Amino acid sequence: MLTATAALVAGGIVSSGEAQAVTCYDGATPFTKLDHERNFPPDNRAWITATSRCSDLNIKVTNSGAYVKWCWQTGYAQWDCADTWKWAPKNTWKVLATNVKDGTNMKIQFKDIDGVYKGYLAK
């Protein structure tokens, strides 16, 4: 995939930013936020870890739009979260955070705790 993407960029078919997004989204992992839970993952023993695949944290909610924000680990079982909620429209990639350091432990917080949300994370 990387070779094909590089060839497309070199040939001018897509921009390097689009190519980076394609590579990032190709590595997306599925998530399910459970009913009556505020965060994904839901407890203090689990988190999402930023990788070198993407420089940003991206979310795509596939069953409904949702207000979300990202939270990051500041210490053992301690988290800080973004100040504002971002609207993630159904079936659309939304950037929650940019220039996230590789290895950063994160969670996604949902404004609506009721209901199940499903989709993909690219990190």
Side-chain angles (χ1 to χ4, degrees), residues 45-114:
R45 295 176 306 240
W47 48 78
I48 304 158
T49 302
T51 67
S52 60
R53 179 180 296 277
C54 304
S55 60
D56 302 332
L57 172 61
N58 307 273
I59 189 169
K60 182 179 184 181
V61 184
T62 57
N63 65 322
S64 174
Y67 281 100
V68 294
K69 59 181 165 180
W70 81 296
C71 303
W72 57 95
Q73 188 174 27
T74 58
Y76 180 76
Q78 297 176 338
W79 298 87
D80 201 359
C81 296
D83 291 332
T84 58
W85 297 100
K86 291 188 177 184
W87 176 248
K90 180 180 178 181
N91 286 323
T92 303
W93 283 107
K94 180 70 175 182
V95 176
L96 294 184
T98 58
N99 299 318
V100 179
K101 183 179 174 184
D102 294 352
T104 299
N105 293 328
M106 307 171 287
K107 290 184 178 282
I108 306 298
Q109 193 170 88
F110 288 78
K111 190 172 186 179
D112 181 8
I113 66 169
D114 295 327

Side-chain angles (χ1 to χ4, degrees), residues 24-44:
C24 176
Y25 298 154
D26 283 347
T29 56
F31 78 87
T32 300
K33 195 275 303 171
L34 303 174
D35 194 20
H36 304 296
E37 293 285 350
R38 167 85 54 207
N39 301 313
F40 175 83
D43 62 42
N44 283 323

